């Protein structure tokens, strides 16, 4: 996939100049754990060789909880990028730790495909009408409400959960009873429309619709915004600040070497 064909083409992201400078400077020691890293430490979530002012801060319309499988390799995960770029709204848990969920107080969805998964467009209907009685649910947000005489759009959900693991490792997490609404009913699942991944560490044998965690977060929020707060004008593009830079860097190395490199070849670890 060339840069022109890539879904990353045309993103409204902050300047990559600080990343260029950090890449030229090479790996440095993490100030927290002392490990040799480039750009950020995937072990403890600290920036390395970068000033916080050089990294965009993205405000999200919902809280994002990422549940990371304990066997998921830190250096291969993109979850930490979400935490670095949206620190006020993103929390990462390593399973068996998971977030405390109160579905009586918050509208919560789990991003996971399945036969009963809904689309982003169907979220409002799900949380507006009781599936059994077809009666309006009493503790749910309105999509539109009046504020000082002006029409205001309100997000139909408060929290979204993502699973950070390989496909084969998801079963252990997805079947955990703590991810049930009432220990018998699973959290409502949302499935994204088909997207093609740009991740250079794509799982062997899996289709290119299997997204990296940061891609899944970005596309979910983009679809959510496009449907409930149109138009979308790049509000969450900076979630791909690191990802888009690394994609270009690795593609360039691939073209130079005439083969498919890994991030290790670029001294990211």
């Amino acid at each position: 996939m060339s840069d022109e064909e890539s879904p990353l083409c045309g993103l409204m992201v902050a300047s990559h100049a600080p990343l260029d400078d950090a890449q030229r400077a090479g790996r440095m020691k993490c100030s927290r754990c002392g490990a040799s890293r480039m750009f950020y430490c995937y072990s403890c979530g600290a920036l390395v060789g970068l000033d916080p002012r050089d990294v965009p801060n993205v405000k999200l319309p919902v809280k994002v909880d990422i549940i990371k499988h304990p066997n998921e390799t830190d250096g291969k995960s993109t979850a930490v990028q979400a935490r670095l770029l949206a620190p006020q709204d993103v929390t990462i848990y390593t399973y068996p730790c998971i977030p405390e969920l109160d579905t009586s107080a918050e509208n919560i969805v789990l991003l996971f495909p399945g036969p009963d998964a809904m689309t982003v467009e169907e979220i409002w209907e799900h949380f507006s009408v009781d599936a059994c009685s077809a009666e309006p649910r009493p503790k749910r947000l309105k999509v539109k409400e009046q504020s000082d005489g002006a029409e205001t759009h309100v997000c139909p959900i408060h929290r979204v959960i993502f699973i950070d693991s390989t496909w084969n490792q998801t079963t252990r997490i997805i079947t955990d009873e703590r991810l049930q609404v009432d220990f018998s009913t699973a959290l409502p699942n949302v499935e994204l429309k088909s997207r093609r991944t740009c991740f250079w560490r794509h799982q062997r044998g899996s289709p290119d619709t299997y997204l990296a965690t940061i891609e899944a977060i970005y596309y979910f929020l983009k679809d959510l915004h496009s449907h409930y707060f149109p138009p979308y004008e790049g509000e969450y593009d900076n979630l791909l600040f690191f990802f888009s830079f690394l994609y270009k860097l690795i593609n360039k190395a691939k073209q130079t070497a005439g083969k498919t490199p890994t991030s290790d070849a670029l001294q990211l670890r």
Side-chain angles (χ1 to χ4, degrees), residues 7-268:
L8 305 183
C9 181
L11 288 173
M12 299 174 63
V13 297
S15 173
H16 281 156
L19 297 180
D20 286 321
D21 293 340
Q23 198 255 335
R24 284 191 291 269
R27 292 182 294 177
M28 297 183 180
K29 287 187 177 182
C30 173
S31 60
R32 295 183 186 175
C33 67
S36 178
R37 300 285 190 256
M38 184 179 290
F39 306 135
Y40 57 82
C41 181
Y42 48 76
S43 300
C44 57
L47 292 174
V48 178
L50 291 168
D51 190 299
R53 294 171 295 182
D54 294 329
V55 176
N57 189 302
V58 187
K59 179 60 181 174
L60 309 184
V62 297
K63 296 299 181 184
V64 169
D65 291 325
I66 302 171
I67 303 176
K68 181 178 174 295
H69 194 282
N71 293 336
E72 181 72 1
T73 304
D74 288 339
K76 295 182 179 181
S77 172
T78 60
V80 69
Q81 296 179 17
R83 175 64 181 167
L84 286 168
L85 295 164
Q88 295 86 6
D89 298 310
V90 175
T91 306
I92 300 176
Y93 300 83
T94 299
Y95 191 82
C97 293
I98 68 170
E100 293 186 9
L101 305 175
D102 184 355
T103 56
S104 66
E106 292 185 309
N107 294 343
I108 306 171
V109 296
L110 172 68
L111 192 81
F112 196 79
D116 298 323
M118 59 183 150
T119 64
V120 169
E121 292 80 3
E122 295 170 323
I123 292 176
W124 162 237
E125 181 180 0
H126 174 86
F127 285 113
S128 299
V129 179
D130 186 276
C132 299
S133 65
E135 293 294 327
R137 298 183 179 185
K139 288 187 177 181
R140 302 303 179 193
L141 288 174
K142 297 179 181 179
V143 172
K144 296 180 181 180
E145 60 183 23
Q146 297 298 320
S147 176
D148 298 329
E151 191 176 72
T152 303
H153 292 254
V154 178
C155 189
I157 58 172
H158 303 86
R159 187 174 299 276
V160 57
I161 299 171
F162 294 83
I163 307 298
D164 184 44
S165 74
T166 62
W167 183 255
N168 293 333
Q169 295 173 337
T170 57
T171 302
R172 178 180 172 188
I173 298 176
I174 209 71
T175 57
D176 193 300
E177 65 178 13
R178 292 172 296 172
L179 291 181
Q180 314 297 310
V181 174
D182 55 11
F183 295 98
S184 62
T185 305
L187 284 172
N189 287 15
V190 176
E191 187 171 8
L192 292 174
K193 296 177 181 178
S194 295
R195 306 277 192 175
R196 295 172 62 192
T197 185
C198 292
F199 194 29
W200 47 93
R201 290 188 180 277
H202 186 61
Q203 297 176 38
R204 181 176 299 178
S206 61
D208 62 4
T209 53
Y210 283 14
L211 304 176
T213 299
I214 193 65
E215 291 178 297
I217 295 171
Y218 167 71
Y219 284 125
F220 174 82
L221 293 173
K222 182 178 180 180
D223 288 351
L224 188 74
H225 189 106
S226 298
H227 187 70
Y228 295 102
F229 316 104
Y232 178 75
E233 298 178 330
E235 284 81 357
Y236 315 117
D237 284 10
N238 270 324
L239 286 175
L240 298 180
F241 175 69
F242 291 110
F243 189 89
S244 59
F245 178 81
L246 294 173
Y247 172 81
K248 292 178 182 178
L249 200 64
I250 290 169
N251 249 19
K252 183 178 180 180
K254 174 182 176 181
Q255 294 168 4
T256 300
K259 60 182 180 179
T260 303
T262 66
S263 58
D264 293 337
L266 300 173
Q267 295 185 314
L268 298 179

